[in-house]
Amino acid sequence: MSDVLIGTYGWEHRQWHGGFYPEELPEDWRFCFYSNRLRAVLVPAVWTQAADAAAVQQWHDDSDDAFRFIWEVSATAAADIAPLLQTLAPLAARSAGILWRPPAAALVTPAMEPALMQLSAFAPVSIDLPPPAAATDNAVAAMLARYDAGVCWQVSREPLPRAGGRLSLALMEHGDPRALRRALETLATSTRADAAAALFFTDPARSASLAEQARVLAELMGV
């Protein structure tokens, strides 16, 4: 089994019906089916932040202890983040990380650090920094370092990931086998030994098939 977490952005896409999901598969079985085919998922912010106790319990029951969730979060206020993390607490042991997508305006507010402190206490954080200035802002970089947060690698836009953080997270829209291999090799070699590496596919039409190809490649490569 590969050490790189591989999956897709969400598991409910109409393009999957009759393809990745068999036509006869009941709607409420889809996540269970997904969790047995792919062993990690990036949960979109709209699902993460709307989740209630019943949904979290269902996700728990429909996956196993080896399955891994990464939660996309766009909230920046401590008052919003605290109840969100409390709701996700039953899945804390299966949470491999958080993809935090704060709006650009939040990066220069006093609320930024308390929010990052709460998120990083729950799981390793990878931040999707709005371009361009925030990526090189010294104050932002120092804050990320204080909480051992990484910077999300957008594979189609950036040749290499930025070093650092407890979570080395890559997002990829599409690619042929050579591109998949390169992304996996780059993650494997750039992720430090005590950090997690994850690769998620975002194009709804092709994400499931690309994730399955990447999983097979990763196992063959031993990464």
Side-chain angles (χ1 to χ4, degrees):
M1 175 97 38
S2 167
D3 290 333
V4 178
L5 300 175
I6 297 170
T8 66
Y9 183 66
W11 62 86
E12 278 289 353
H13 303 291
R14 60 178 178 77
Q15 297 95 327
W16 294 12
H17 304 161
F20 181 76
Y21 292 135
E23 288 281 3
E24 65 276 9
L25 188 73
E27 183 175 350
D28 57 353
W29 289 12
R30 288 175 188 160
F31 177 62
C32 185
F33 182 93
Y34 175 98
S35 72
N36 281 281
R37 290 276 292 272
L38 296 167
R39 304 297 291 149
V41 69
L42 174 56
V43 183
V46 65
W47 299 358
T48 299
Q49 294 175 198
D52 57 17
V56 169
Q57 186 61 50
Q58 192 63 54
W59 296 340
H60 180 280
D61 294 345
D62 286 347
S63 58
D64 58 46
D65 286 342
F67 187 82
R68 291 294 176 262
F69 294 87
I70 290 183
W71 310 98
E72 181 186 42
V73 174
S74 58
T76 56
D80 296 328
I81 290 172
L84 168 63
L85 298 180
Q86 185 174 3
T87 299
L88 298 178
L91 285 169
R94 300 182 192 175
S95 297
I98 292 169
L99 171 60
W100 193 28
R101 283 180 154 156
L107 296 174
V108 294
T109 67
M112 178 76 171
E113 186 150 358
L116 181 55
M117 183 187 303
Q118 288 186 83
L119 293 169
S120 62
F122 182 82
V125 174
S126 178
I127 187 170
D128 190 12
L129 287 174
T136 55
D137 184 276
N138 290 336
V140 172
M143 181 181 59
L144 296 180
R146 282 196 292 278
Y147 297 97
D148 214 358
V151 177
C152 178
W153 178 29
Q154 298 280 356
V155 178
S156 64
R157 300 202 304 257
E158 302 163 317
L160 294 170
R162 296 190 190 123
R166 292 185 293 149
L167 174 62
S168 185
L169 173 61
L171 299 183
M172 193 170 184
E173 294 177 39
H174 48 75
D176 57 21
R178 181 174 296 180
L180 297 182
R181 181 184 179 94
R182 176 185 172 276
L184 289 165
E185 287 176 337
T186 301
L187 276 176
T189 57
S190 64
T191 302
R192 67 191 206 207
D194 63 340
L199 175 62
F200 291 100
F201 294 90
T202 60
D203 177 12
R206 300 186 58 201
S207 56
S209 61
L210 287 171
E212 292 197 306
Q213 289 178 50
R215 184 198 61 193
V216 172
L217 269 175
E219 291 174 358
L220 290 172
M221 294 162 61
V223 301

